[in-house]
Amino acid sequence: MQVQRSFEAAAEGGALYVVGTPIGHLQDLSPRAKEILERADVIAAEDTRHTRKLLTRFDISKKNLVSYHEHNRKSRGPQLIDRLLEGASVALVSDAGMPAISDPGAELVREALERGIPVIPVPGPNAAITALVASGIPPVPFVFLGFLPRVPKDRERELSRWKEAEAALVCYEAPHRVISTLESVGRVLGDRRIALAREMTKTHEEWLRGKVSEILAHLAEHPPRGEYTMVISGADSADRAGDSEEKWWSSLTVEEHVEWYLRRGQSKKEAIRSAARDRSLPKREVYRIVHLENKDEN
């Protein structure tokens, strides 16, 4: 068991400060965060180029700025732990928001605690919480999923774990996978209410709120741009019943269903597989229907 008192107790020795930085608007940097960054012996940043801009904006010295990210964590992590054990103070920051959430900072925090080094959080903005509170979806309870798996089969397996949960689901997604992820949500969870947010607190902040099918239709005309934070409504009694809510594709014929996926860049084989999965039909049956339709047209 480990007992850690107030952050003042760390003043005499090394301490790891987990510092929240703005997710967009630079004025969201707190006075305390600025103070910690100014007096830290080392600032460990996910991307030094990005953090250097923040430090320049607030006239904070950049002489002790080092990188700490997924690709150098195994070599840089022990170096930072050594500095902490020597009595240095280290401020850990990510590109945006709170460190240690979907980044290797969690590993550094764990290692510091195992070595008896105080870990002191300096709260700041967080994209997941910011999106959740403005989504219009009941925020309690909620589950944060980070980045969902890239492979559709793995992604849908993960979503299936939460199909019965009443909690809102919050995740991050890259622009080139947003449509694919929404399609997975529709297949596994149904046409639920959802909110997508990007560029939060920035000049071009954008929100999309509606059913999965509505947002997919919008994105078909307005291609996704930038990383998104996604908030998915939890299961209610209708969702758990499984048949009270119409599927997004229910008004489409099988041919139109396949065509919908083709227009979104899938190959014919992929489109048939996706439509078959949506409808719980054998792939060969969907192939037969589409093939016969094409034959009739000729």
Side-chain angles (χ1 to χ4, degrees):
M1 177 178 173
Q2 185 184 80
V3 178
Q4 180 182 315
R5 303 300 181 187
S6 73
F7 70 89
E8 298 294 345
E12 298 179 0
L16 176 62
Y17 292 87
V18 183
V19 183
T21 55
I23 60 174
H25 201 299
L26 295 183
Q27 293 303 315
D28 289 337
L29 184 72
S30 73
R32 183 181 170 213
K34 179 175 180 292
E35 178 187 350
I36 295 297
L37 293 175
E38 286 174 331
R39 63 183 177 86
D41 296 309
V42 180
I43 299 174
E46 183 178 1
D47 185 332
T48 55
R49 295 167 300 179
H50 186 92
T51 299
R52 188 172 283 111
K53 295 177 183 178
L54 176 68
L55 299 180
T56 298
R57 170 65 179 78
F58 288 96
D59 197 26
I60 299 171
S61 172
K62 299 171 285 295
K63 62 183 179 180
N64 295 318
L65 178 63
V66 301
S67 64
Y68 176 75
H69 48 70
E70 181 63 32
H71 303 294
N72 75 350
R73 59 187 174 83
K74 290 185 178 179
S75 60
R76 183 53 53 78
Q79 295 172 8
L80 292 171
I81 293 296
D82 287 344
R83 291 296 309 274
L84 287 161
L85 290 172
E86 291 168 359
S89 59
V90 175
L92 175 67
V93 299
S94 66
D95 286 350
M98 289 298 295
I101 298 177
S102 291
D103 74 28
E107 189 172 318
L108 186 63
V109 168
R110 185 169 58 252
E111 178 65 19
L113 290 173
E114 289 175 354
R115 302 295 290 271
I117 299 166
V119 174
I120 302 165
V122 182
N126 173 265
I129 296 298
T130 302
L132 180 66
V133 299
S135 67
I137 289 169
V140 179
F142 75 92
V143 175
F144 177 65
L145 302 177
F147 284 93
L148 290 168
R150 298 183 181 189
V151 178
K153 180 176 65 175
D154 298 335
R155 181 193 307 141
E156 291 173 17
R157 184 183 300 115
E158 175 65 18
L159 288 170
S160 294
R161 293 179 56 204
W162 307 102
K163 187 173 183 179
E164 303 290 330
E166 296 182 27
L169 306 178
V170 186
C171 62
Y172 298 148
E173 193 53 275
H176 59 283
R177 287 196 298 272
V178 166
I179 289 176
S180 177
T181 294
L182 285 171
E183 291 168 352
S184 291
V185 170
R187 282 192 290 268
V188 176
L189 304 180
D191 200 15
R192 293 193 184 182
R193 287 190 301 132
I194 194 168
L196 258 63
R198 71 177 187 92
E199 299 289 299
M200 285 184 290
T201 77
K202 299 180 183 179
T203 302
H204 300 293
E205 178 174 323
E206 179 182 67
W207 289 83
L208 301 176
R209 299 181 180 92
K211 294 292 188 71
V212 173
S213 56
E214 295 170 336
I215 293 178
L216 279 170
H218 175 85
L219 293 178
E221 302 296 327
H222 307 85
R225 298 173 59 188
E227 186 176 291
Y228 285 80
T229 301
M230 185 179 300
V231 183
I232 307 164
S233 62
D236 58 20
S237 57
D239 293 321
R240 292 194 296 277
D243 57 2
S244 299
E245 193 168 291
E246 189 177 44
K247 301 292 186 182
W248 66 267
W249 44 262
S250 59
S251 63
L252 303 178
T253 65
V254 172
E255 296 83 1
E256 291 170 339
H257 198 162
V258 171
E259 180 63 27
W260 191 92
Y261 282 114
L262 288 171
R263 290 199 304 269
R264 282 150 184 80
Q266 291 193 6
S267 68
K268 188 170 184 179
K269 183 178 180 180
E270 291 170 333
I272 288 173
R273 182 170 60 241
S274 296
R277 183 166 46 195
D278 289 349
R279 293 172 176 266
S280 298
L281 291 173
K283 286 184 289 185
R284 62 179 179 275
E285 177 66 12
V286 175
Y287 177 83
R288 185 187 66 79
I289 293 171
V290 173
H291 181 69
L292 284 175
E293 179 70 17
N294 292 336
K295 201 172 182 180
D296 291 342
E297 289 176 358
N298 294 329

